[in-house]
Amino acid sequence: MILTKSQVRAFYDRFGNMQDSQSFYEDAALDDLIAHADFGQAENIFELGCGTGRFASRLLTKHLSPSASYLGIDLSLSMINIAEQRISEFAGRAKVVQSDGSMSFPLHDHSVDRVICTYVLDLLSESDIQQAISEAHRVLIPGGKFCLVSLTYGETFVSRIVCAMWSTLFHIHGYLVGGCRPIRLNPLFGKLDWSIDYRNVVIQFGVPSEVLIADLKSAPN
Ligand SMILES: C[S@@+](CC[C@H](N)C(=O)[O-])C[C@H]1O[C@@H](n2cnc3c(N)ncnc32)[C@H](O)[C@@H]1O
């Protein structure tokens, strides 16, 4: 069952710093994203669902150019407070803002060269996923990259079992797994305007994550 926005906010307000404990299965996929998304060339970065700011802090510290700017949004105020502290040393060029959970990004058309969304699409409804993709299309410059990581379906014996257990918990109540369920990112980018620059499934401790980088290839209308 997909959680409502107020359920998601309540969950992540309470979860707070514990989100970082998910790094045991997230980090290998995030490493893979960093290895392929050419963040060193990026100048304006937007992140949907920045959580505790762990990924932002890592990018700002090690991978972005010193002139690059970063904006993150999140529905949960606890997450925003944690992220704000975490990236405070980059305050001149990085900020986080609480959102109302709607999929309208607070950005001008064609104003960023990276949109990041890690472990967030997998807790959104189908219509919000479609809207997030269309917003990424609106705000990215041509040649910009939509950088995604999501829970996905298992591809090995162990990861299929883990995925089946995860899905069972999700169907009992989404709250048991933070609202997240396995999804497939690849088929969401079948339209002509996107080209898949990179795709991989990374399995860490049996948990499968899909890493996908979609380039906006044509001039947006
Ligand atoms: C599983 S956590 C992932 C956090 C972070 N991206 C990471 O990889 O560690 C999901 C995050 O998305 C946020 N979120 C969920 N739905 C959202 C929405 N509709 N708009 C903005 N943030 C949302 C949650 O508050 C939470 O911080």
Side-chain angles (χ1 to χ4, degrees):
M1 183 183 64
I2 301 287
L3 298 185
T4 64
K5 292 200 167 61
S6 51
Q7 286 174 318
V8 169
R9 187 189 293 115
F11 179 92
Y12 286 97
D13 274 348
R14 203 168 305 162
F15 204 47
N17 268 323
M18 281 188 288
Q19 175 60 38
D20 291 349
S21 65
Q22 308 302 297
S23 61
F24 80 94
Y25 70 83
E26 291 184 354
D27 275 358
L30 296 176
D31 289 349
D32 196 40
L33 181 66
I34 286 175
H36 294 91
D38 211 3
F39 283 114
Q41 296 300 313
E43 275 305 315
N44 296 293
I45 297 98
F46 172 70
E47 183 171 13
L48 170 64
C50 60
T52 62
R54 200 164 64 87
F55 194 59
S57 160
R58 190 171 164 196
L59 289 182
L60 286 157
T61 307
K62 288 199 193 142
H63 301 284
L64 295 179
S65 100
S67 60
S69 72
Y70 167 93
L71 171 67
I73 63 169
D74 202 286
L75 177 59
S76 152
L77 184 57
S78 304
M79 291 297 184
I80 288 296
N81 289 337
I82 296 165
E84 204 159 43
Q85 254 193 325
R86 199 169 224 161
I87 62 166
S88 57
E89 66 180 290
F90 303 98
R93 60 192 182 97
K95 70 173 182 175
V96 289
V97 177
Q98 188 184 16
S99 76
D100 62 3
S102 69
M103 289 299 119
S104 18
F105 300 168
L107 293 167
H108 295 301
D109 294 358
H110 322 312
S111 56
V112 297
D113 46 21
R114 297 289 181 282
V115 173
I116 300 169
C117 188
T118 65
Y119 300 100
V120 178
L121 287 197
D122 47 28
L123 54 73
L124 300 182
S125 66
E126 296 298 326
S127 64
D128 275 353
I129 291 174
Q130 287 304 333
Q131 209 187 331
I133 294 171
S134 105
E135 277 291 90
H137 185 290
R138 180 182 70 77
V139 302
L140 278 168
I141 58 168
K145 295 178 187 295
F146 194 5
C147 306
L148 294 147
V149 181
S150 159
L151 280 177
T152 195
Y153 294 91
E155 295 192 337
T156 59
F157 179 70
V158 173
S159 64
R160 281 195 193 105
I161 290 176
V162 170
C163 179
M165 284 162 46
W166 192 300
S167 298
T168 304
L169 291 174
F170 176 78
H171 287 296
I172 293 169
H173 199 296
Y175 220 83
L176 297 172
V177 281
C180 306
R181 83 288 193 193
I183 61 168
R184 286 196 175 88
L185 295 174
N186 199 23
L188 299 170
F189 291 89
K191 295 215 176 120
L192 290 178
D193 287 356
W194 296 102
S195 67
I196 304 298
D197 186 31
Y198 179 75
R199 180 184 178 270
N200 192 16
V201 173
V202 176
I203 298 168
Q204 184 79 350
F205 292 102
V207 183
S209 298
E210 184 175 1
V211 180
L212 187 136
I213 301 170
D215 284 5
L216 184 59
K217 63 177 178 184
S218 59
N221 302 318

